[in-house]
Amino acid sequence: MRSIWNGAISFGLVSIPIKLVNATENHSISFRQIHLADGGRIRYRKVCEIDEEEVTAAEIGKAYEEPDGSVIPITDEDLGSLPLPTAKTIEIVAFVPAASIDPLQMDAAYYLSANGVPAAKPYTLLREALKRSQKVALAKYALRGRERLGMLRVVDDVIAMHGLLWPDEIRSPEGVAPETDVKVREAELDLADALMDTLGEVDMDSLHDDYREAVEELIAAKAEGRTLEPAEAEDSGGKVIDLIAALESSVRAAKEARGEKPEAREEKEEKADAPVAEVTSLSGRRKSGGTGAKKKATAAAKKTAATTKKKTAPGRAPAKKTAARSTAKKTTKSTAKKATAKSDPKPAAKKAAPRGRASA
């Protein structure tokens, strides 16, 4: 990797020659400005305001503009002659816990590479000291015409440096937080904790830029003369939602995404998986009173049905029906006696016997 700055790390009286290398790279897709009428590229030309002529980069210098509009030229030699120990040195000023650094101060990241064989021993010494102390080093350094603040830490077997903003460059968050008093219930916090636990950790290498991939696909389609179907936009703002319901839905969705079963479904499945009761046939018990039990059950059922009929029948209909039934029964009995008397010869013989004795 190409170095962007050469200097040394000042570690007390120890000086470590190093090279500064960019630790990050930008993969964003850049666009050119064009003239919509003919597709011609739009370029910015640097023109002097006085003679209105275009100038090259070699003819351009720096200057400070006063409030009244006058300018004071400043050359690179002027800046290089400043009495700053950090002009070509990364000066370590303190060792502090990493947690004491506000992430808001984080800026660009660099790798520090040992410059030459003699630098290998002091470089390794500083690296191992940082590892054992579990601290980071705060340092000052000068880059691109200004003094900056940096944080040195160990990444694998390399010393990395993060540029830091000065504390006075961090804006106060005054007026950013909600102005209304909002109370959060314990149930909402519990669901938020459950959602955090369900989402868990993530492999940073698995994350990628979906937008960049979509732009690359769009460019490829345009080059081939194809048209991509527009994606459906998700409406995700401006709605008043039920926070509890939203959290519960989020937990369920997160569990399903991780291949886990939501709690509600788990309970239903547990009930469905419960052992089914076996039905034992009663055929073996018929010999030992099964028929009697069955008769009792039938009689009880008939009695219940008769009682229900009496309760549900309207008006005096039950009395009439009962009288009719009793009359029908009496008529049937009388008819049955007459029929029996005619068909049975024995009673007639018994009646005839007394008459014979009286005549004798």
Side-chain angles (χ1 to χ4, degrees), residues 65-84:
E65 186 176 359
E66 294 280 6
D68 59 359
S70 59
V71 294
I72 302 174
I74 303 292
T75 65
D76 292 337
E77 290 75 15
D78 295 333
L79 296 173
S81 62
L82 293 175
L84 289 176

Side-chain angles (χ1 to χ4, degrees), residues 121-134 154 156-159:
K121 181 64 179 286
Y123 182 95
T124 305
L125 173 64
L126 176 59
R127 183 191 67 197
E128 296 303 315
L130 287 171
K131 280 184 180 181
R132 190 167 70 172
S133 67
Q134 296 184 348
V154 178
D156 295 332
D157 289 331
V158 176
I159 299 175

Side-chain angles (χ1 to χ4, degrees), residues 102 104 165-174 176:
D102 189 345
L104 285 173
L165 299 174
W166 296 99
D168 61 356
E169 292 178 318
I170 304 298
R171 290 181 175 180
S172 171
E174 184 179 357
V176 179

Side-chain angles (χ1 to χ4, degrees), residues 27 64 74 102 105 126 156 180-182 200 231 235 240 244 323 328 359:
H27 290 165
Y64 177 78
I74 303 292
D102 189 345
Q105 292 182 254
L126 176 59
D156 295 332
T180 57
D181 293 333
V182 179
D235 187 6
V240 178
I244 291 289
S359 60

Side-chain angles (χ1 to χ4, degrees), residues 264-321:
R265 293 186 180 179
E266 285 177 358
E267 291 177 1
K268 290 181 180 178
E269 291 181 0
E270 285 178 3
K271 291 180 180 179
D273 295 338
V276 180
E278 295 182 1
V279 179
T280 305
S281 175
L282 298 178
S283 58
R285 299 184 181 180
R286 286 180 181 175
K287 294 180 181 179
S288 58
T291 306
K294 186 175 181 182
K295 287 181 179 179
K296 289 180 180 179
T298 306
K302 287 181 178 180
K303 188 176 181 181
T304 305
T307 305
T308 306
K309 281 185 177 181
K310 289 180 180 180
K311 289 182 179 180
T312 56
R316 298 180 179 178
K320 291 181 180 179
K321 287 183 179 179

Side-chain angles (χ1 to χ4, degrees), residues 212-222 226 228:
R212 189 189 73 198
E213 291 180 359
V215 172
E216 289 175 349
E217 185 179 356
L218 173 63
I219 294 172
K222 287 275 190 178
R226 295 185 290 110
L228 294 179

